[in-house]
Amino acid sequence: MKIYVCKNYEKMSALAANYVAAQVLMKPESVLGLATGSTPIGMYEELVDKYQNEGISFKDVTTFNLDEYINLPKENENSYYTFMHDNLFDKIDVKEENINIPDGNVEDFETYSKEFENKIKECGGIDIQVLGIGNNAHIGFNEPDDHFSNTTGVVKLTESTILANSRFFDSEEEVPKKAISMGIGTIVRTKKILLLASGKGKAEAIYKTVCGPVKPEVPASILQFHNDVVVIIDEEAASLLDESIYERV
Ligand code: PGA
């Protein structure tokens, strides 16, 4: 794990965008694994800027998103379909047919999840997977559990995640209770991982992820076993880490 600590959210976002843009420049047909949530919004803004002002093209890129709420219509303002189109896809030249966001409205989630996994394989695997992290150290919607989930499938959201995500909905009751998510196995099979975190609320999750024992109660801790993880966080998210284990940028 390589850990970079940036002064603030803006610097974190700019550095993260440089990392993703470098991947796309090196390999225009890259397969990008993307995340939703507040954390990557700044990075997406920077990537849009790179497309508009620096000529970086996403026309040959394929994308896979980590997760989606179940039974929330695609058009709903809180769907991850809407989030990704509003924050990134509608503003760059990625082709709609190359965008893969798990569908939360299918009839047969078992078959659909297998197809989603197969599609990742057929595309040659994910080159970079962008991850945010939950206050409870979830990645994707893989919540603390007694085992690490392997493949894409339906997951139940914990109370803490429902509460955290209720800030986007009119009330806590409106937050879907289930989601479809890449599994922990899907995530660790990606070639490179970019983990982002910002703010004091993430400090404990980051500490446990980086320094704690690897255990399914701390889903992100599994990343200690991946051989190409770049962690880009701001000073607040890094506040519980010993300075000797990171580089300040
Ligand atoms: P956030 O969510 O970026 O909105 O904090 C991260 C996550 O829950 O994975």
Side-chain angles (χ1 to χ4, degrees):
M1 245 183 217
K2 196 91 190 80
I3 306 171
Y4 297 100
V5 176
C6 304
K7 185 121 208 78
N8 53 37
Y9 178 77
E10 288 68 33
K11 295 240 159 60
M12 178 201 81
S13 301
L15 189 62
N18 282 345
Y19 188 70
V20 173
Q23 170 70 36
V24 175
L25 281 172
M26 294 285 283
K27 184 181 171 191
E29 69 287 6
S30 286
V31 180
L32 302 180
L34 299 176
T36 51
S38 312
T39 310
I41 289 178
M43 180 191 77
Y44 291 145
E45 281 170 6
E46 294 279 342
L47 287 173
V48 170
D49 185 66
K50 286 179 189 301
Y51 165 70
Q52 289 174 342
N53 301 312
E54 293 175 29
I56 291 197
S57 172
F58 296 84
K59 73 178 173 33
D60 296 320
V61 161
T62 298
T63 67
F64 285 90
N65 263 79
L66 282 167
D67 46 19
E68 177 62 283
Y69 290 117
I70 282 184
N71 285 340
L72 196 63
K74 244 167 135 173
E75 305 71 38
N76 186 288
E77 59 177 354
N78 285 310
S79 79
Y80 289 167
Y81 177 92
T82 301
F83 176 97
M84 287 309 301
H85 282 79
D86 287 355
N87 286 292
L88 185 67
F89 296 151
D90 288 350
K91 298 175 175 168
I92 59 172
D93 59 348
V94 64
K95 296 188 183 110
E96 188 64 34
E97 65 264 31
N98 289 348
I99 294 171
N100 300 281
I101 303 171
D103 189 340
N105 290 286
V106 295
E107 292 225 323
D108 179 355
F109 279 101
E110 216 177 298
T111 307
Y112 177 79
S113 298
K114 281 188 189 134
E115 286 166 3
F116 192 81
E117 288 281 330
N118 283 338
K119 190 138 193 220
I120 294 174
K121 275 196 205 115
E122 281 162 18
C123 290
I126 292 172
D127 290 302
I128 290 187
Q129 177 63 55
V130 177
L131 296 176
I133 185 168
N135 300 330
N136 62 4
H138 74 203
I139 44 177
F141 267 135
N142 296 286
E143 303 282 26
D145 206 342
D146 58 6
H147 66 286
F148 288 111
S149 65
N150 186 3
T151 56
T152 299
V154 174
V155 291
K156 266 172 83 175
L157 308 189
T158 58
E159 277 306 315
S160 79
T161 297
I162 291 168
L163 185 65
N165 290 7
S166 66
R167 69 191 194 274
F168 301 112
F169 291 79
D170 289 338
S171 69
E172 208 180 310
E173 287 67 48
E174 279 182 35
V175 185
K177 308 291 178 282
K178 282 185 181 175
I180 174 168
S181 176
M182 282 187 199
I184 293 284
T186 323
I187 293 169
V188 296
R189 283 188 287 275
T190 62
K191 293 170 202 169
K192 293 180 198 163
I193 288 176
L194 171 59
L195 175 67
L196 305 177
S198 156
K200 269 208 162 44
K202 299 292 170 68
E204 195 183 340
I206 285 293
Y207 174 77
K208 287 181 174 166
T209 295
V210 172
C211 303
V214 174
K215 54 180 184 180
E217 292 79 6
V218 182
S221 64
I222 194 79
L223 300 178
Q224 290 179 36
F225 291 158
H226 191 288
N227 65 6
D228 195 343
V229 179
V230 168
V231 180
I232 303 181
I233 52 182
D234 66 8
E235 283 180 355
E236 288 187 355
S239 55
L240 298 177
L241 301 182
D242 189 286
E243 290 205 16
S244 64
I245 68 165
Y246 62 74
E247 207 170 311
R248 207 176 272 277
V249 287

